[in-house]
């Protein structure tokens, strides 16, 4: 079996024609991650953010135009949004945390997704609080979706990796 790194082999003794080999490794802060295990409670989403997070998420989803109102999308609207994303700029949604909220921008109701790499946010309260990251490269991204036309109407990321 192939062992995940970092593993170190140490020969302890050679006695009576028997070689004893022990596998040792340094202590880890996240042994489940080192072994490739993911606890069942660590799902990636999608989540509908509470409206109490609207102003924080609205600022990053629509930085050029301030949303005039916020609304809670339906699960069906989110499913259609994710279908459009899989066909468009971000096919690998399963490795991302995905936060959704409805915005009204220029009298148009749109859905916003705020997304980032799941492995960086397992311990954050991302299911109830907007994740706002100033850097992080293209791993952090947002998109806007018009639920009346089922079209993506905006996409941006935090820049180059």
């Amino acid at each position: 079996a192939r062992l995940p790194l970092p593993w170190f082999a140490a020969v302890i003794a050679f006695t009576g024609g028997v070689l004893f080999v022990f596998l040792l490794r340094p202590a880890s802060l996240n042994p489940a991650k080192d072994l490739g295990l993911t606890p069942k409670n660590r799902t990636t989403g999608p989540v509908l953010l509470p409206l109490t997070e609207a102003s924080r998420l609205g600022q990053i989803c629509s930085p050029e135009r301030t949303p005039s109102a916020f609304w809670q999308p339906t699960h069906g609207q989110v499913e259609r949004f994710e279908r459009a994303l899989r066909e468009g700029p971000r096919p690998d949604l399963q490795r991302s945390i995905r936060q959704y909220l409805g915005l009204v921008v220029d009298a148009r109701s749109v859905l916003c997704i705020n997304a980032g790499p799941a492995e960086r946010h397992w311990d954050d309260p991302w299911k109830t609080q907007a994740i706002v990251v100033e850097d992080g490269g293209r791993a952090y991204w947002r998109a806007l979706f018009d639920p009346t036309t089922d079209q993506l109407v905006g996409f941006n990321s935090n820049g180059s990796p």
Side-chain angles (χ1 to χ4, degrees):
R2 186 170 171 255
L3 299 174
L5 296 175
W7 286 89
F8 303 96
V11 176
I12 301 301
F14 183 77
T15 308
V18 178
L19 176 67
F20 293 93
V21 177
F22 294 89
L23 294 176
L24 304 174
R25 63 186 232 125
S28 172
L29 297 176
N30 190 348
K33 183 177 178 184
D34 293 345
L35 294 173
L37 304 175
T38 302
K40 290 182 181 181
N41 64 340
R42 292 189 171 183
T43 59
T44 57
V47 297
L48 302 176
L49 280 182
L51 291 176
T52 55
E53 292 296 300
S55 63
R56 290 183 70 206
L57 193 57
Q59 292 171 359
I60 62 170
C61 282
S62 181
E64 300 87 27
R65 297 177 307 265
T66 303
S68 58
F70 302 97
W71 53 280
Q72 195 71 38
T74 67
H75 290 285
Q77 289 169 326
V78 169
E79 288 173 8
R80 293 189 344 250
F81 193 172
E82 291 205 339
R83 190 175 317 119
L85 286 166
R86 281 191 296 276
E87 295 168 359
R90 290 290 168 172
D92 189 10
L93 297 176
Q94 296 306 315
R95 293 185 179 197
S96 299
I97 59 166
R98 301 179 317 277
Q99 302 176 315
Y100 290 88
L101 191 66
L103 315 171
V104 177
V105 179
D106 296 333
R108 181 181 189 184
S109 292
V110 294
L111 271 73
C112 172
I113 179 176
N114 181 40
E119 70 273 4
R120 295 185 193 168
H121 296 285
W122 286 136
D123 298 323
D124 295 340
W126 69 272
K127 291 183 180 183
T128 57
Q129 295 177 9
I131 297 295
V132 179
V133 176
E134 297 286 328
D135 198 356
R138 295 187 322 172
Y140 292 90
W141 53 275
R142 286 138 316 275
L144 296 175
F145 175 79
D146 185 333
T148 61
T149 63
D150 285 352
Q151 297 293 314
L152 294 175
V153 294
F155 182 87
N156 66 60
S157 69
N158 286 10
S160 301

